[in-house]
Amino acid sequence: EAIRDLYKRLKIGVQLFIDWQGLWGHESNTFDRVALFERGQDASPKNNNAFRIQRAFLDVRYQISDIFSVRLTSDADVSVTPAAASNAAFHLFLKYAFIEAKKDFGPVWFSLAGGMIETPVLGYINKISDYRWIAQNYLQQSRSVINNQIIDFDADLGIRGSLGIMKYVTLTGAFTNGGGFKADESNSYKAVTYMMSITPVKELHFFGYGRNEITAKYDYTGKKARREYYGYGVAYSSELVKIGAVHAFPYVQTVGVASKFDPSFIYGTNEIYIYPVQRRGYMIIDSWLHLNLGAVAPAAPLILTGRFVYGIQRRTYQKYITDTECGKQRQSFLYAAGIGWRLSK
């Protein structure tokens, strides 16, 4: 009976993202370029193909009691460790590792988790879109649409709390290191994330969110580098169709010219310490469609998917004139469509 009870409380799962990929054309995160097949510009020459393991999850969950549970999830990717190694190798790392307390009081419920947690906004978008098996959402991979700027991570060390009201409103907040699940903490400042979701009916979702983080502080002047974003979203998510969009407004504040950042500003024994503050605005629109015809025709579980993404870096003149990004506005557009067959749930 004890062993049977153990297995009732224990869940072990494996999830693999494996594919074969062939690349033709121009593959780059650079901007303001035409993808011409000119010598020296072609990032993906012909015959560039590979079998890949993108991710490999081993997920263990255990329900300690009616209130407490734990989750441990390992992941794998290709990376060079140490950095000077000549060849990359698959390596395992920790994705989630937390203990959670959750209690339902009827009209309200409450949960609190601590450890390597799933962050509120990105996890919520992945859940209602069910698009993660194809690609990360574009708040998570923001660097590909807003000029290499990272604004959030889907897992981080810290605490997360949620309060549900009448099963229609959920308030969620998180207090985390801010650097993501692959980074050690490098300063005493933390990231604060907050979100409110409203579900008037089971399938319809309205939500607003924000995240604020201080990434560095400089000398006695008190000037700080920051990254933050605010936004909202709406989605319809059922077994047949998942469709939605998020609209986010990131801001990145940097602190400019000094020998602290660039050794070229040291002239003999003299160092330059000037701290012009730049606050640059961005915008991301990420929309998705995920249609599963198997929900109405089980004999033909056809999947149709689509995605449209728009990103913009707004121009600013808040930095010294020699800055290569001074006054520049950059835009990105992404269109995607796909067709698939659902062999198994």
Side-chain angles (χ1 to χ4, degrees):
E1 290 300 321
I3 294 174
R4 185 175 299 173
D5 182 63
L6 172 67
Y7 278 98
K8 285 181 181 178
R9 297 173 178 270
L10 182 66
K11 292 182 179 178
I12 300 176
V14 174
Q15 186 174 19
L16 302 177
F17 291 75
I18 2 180
D19 63 22
W20 174 86
Q21 174 177 280
L23 297 174
W24 297 269
H26 188 84
E27 180 194 30
S28 175
N29 283 336
T30 56
F31 288 71
D32 297 342
R33 296 178 64 180
V34 179
L36 300 177
F37 289 95
E38 297 179 5
R39 185 179 302 275
Q41 292 188 5
D42 182 11
S44 300
K46 64 181 181 179
N47 301 323
N48 184 352
N49 69 86
F51 293 102
R52 304 185 304 170
I53 298 179
Q54 295 285 77
R55 310 295 297 275
F57 290 106
L58 175 60
D59 191 44
V60 180
R61 308 186 191 207
Y62 184 69
Q63 191 71 36
I64 300 173
S65 66
D66 293 338
I67 297 177
F68 292 98
S69 63
V70 294
R71 179 181 179 183
L72 177 64
T73 303
S74 65
D75 198 354
D77 68 0
V78 178
S79 111
V80 176
T81 307
S86 58
N87 296 310
F90 289 99
H91 80 290
L92 292 174
F93 61 90
L94 198 60
K95 185 62 183 286
Y96 303 118
F98 60 85
I99 183 168
E100 183 174 30
K102 187 173 183 178
K103 180 67 175 177
D104 193 336
F105 297 96
V108 299
W109 60 267
F110 177 77
S111 71
L112 181 66
M116 186 74 81
I117 58 171
E118 182 180 55
T119 54
V121 180
L122 303 187
Y124 187 78
I125 294 172
N126 286 339
K127 180 180 178 181
I128 60 177
S129 69
D130 195 21
Y131 211 97
R132 177 61 189 88
W133 60 283
I134 296 175
Q136 298 171 336
N137 66 73
Y138 280 85
L139 299 192
Q140 182 174 353
Q141 56 171 329
S142 61
R143 65 187 308 164
S144 62
V145 293
I146 57 171
N147 206 10
N148 212 34
Q149 293 293 340
I150 298 173
I151 62 172
D152 204 352
F153 304 89
D154 62 341
D156 203 355
L157 275 165
I159 57 174
R160 182 193 64 223
S162 296
L163 175 66
I165 305 170
M166 300 297 294
K167 303 188 185 301
Y168 298 117
V169 178
T170 303
L171 305 174
T172 303
F175 186 70
T176 61
N177 279 346
F181 57 91
K182 288 187 177 181
D184 292 331
E185 180 59 22
S186 59
N187 60 56
S188 61
Y189 307 107
K190 300 292 180 283
V192 179
T193 309
Y194 38 91
M195 183 177 73
M196 180 176 71
S197 61
I198 301 174
T199 311
V201 295
K202 183 180 178 182
E203 293 86 6
L204 189 59
H205 303 262
F206 300 95
F207 51 102
Y209 46 83
R211 182 181 188 271
N212 304 83
E213 178 189 1
I214 297 174
T215 55
K217 182 179 178 181
Y218 303 100
D219 67 33
Y220 64 91
T221 64
K223 289 185 173 64
K224 301 178 181 66
R226 306 172 185 266
R227 59 183 170 191
E228 54 195 299
Y229 70 88
Y230 312 93
Y232 62 92
V234 59
Y236 181 85
S237 184
S238 68
E239 185 66 20
L240 173 63
V241 61
K242 296 175 176 63
I243 185 171
V246 294
H247 194 188
F249 302 89
Y251 296 89
V252 176
Q253 177 174 303
T254 57
V255 180
V257 187
S259 54
K260 176 181 177 67
F261 312 111
D262 188 343
S264 66
F265 291 104
I266 300 177
Y267 298 91
T269 59
N270 300 312
E271 298 188 10
I272 294 180
Y273 289 93
I274 309 172
Y275 294 90
V277 174
Q278 179 201 74
R279 177 177 164 84
R280 187 189 289 276
Y282 302 83
M283 185 180 72
I284 299 173
I285 297 174
D286 183 11
S287 60
W288 63 87
L289 169 67
H290 193 172
L291 184 62
N292 174 27
L293 298 180
V296 292
L302 191 68
I303 294 175
L304 303 174
T305 67
R307 196 152 205 157
F308 168 74
V309 183
Y310 171 68
I312 183 172
Q313 171 189 280
R314 304 191 188 281
R315 61 170 51 91
T316 181
Y317 297 93
Q318 290 181 342
K319 217 170 183 182
Y320 58 106
I321 200 68
T322 56
D323 183 0
T324 57
E325 292 300 306
C326 182
K328 281 194 175 181
Q329 176 172 292
R330 301 179 179 274
Q331 298 182 83
S332 300
F333 294 87
L334 181 142
Y335 309 89
I339 185 169
W341 189 269
R342 187 173 182 172
L343 300 175
S344 162
K345 187 171 184 178

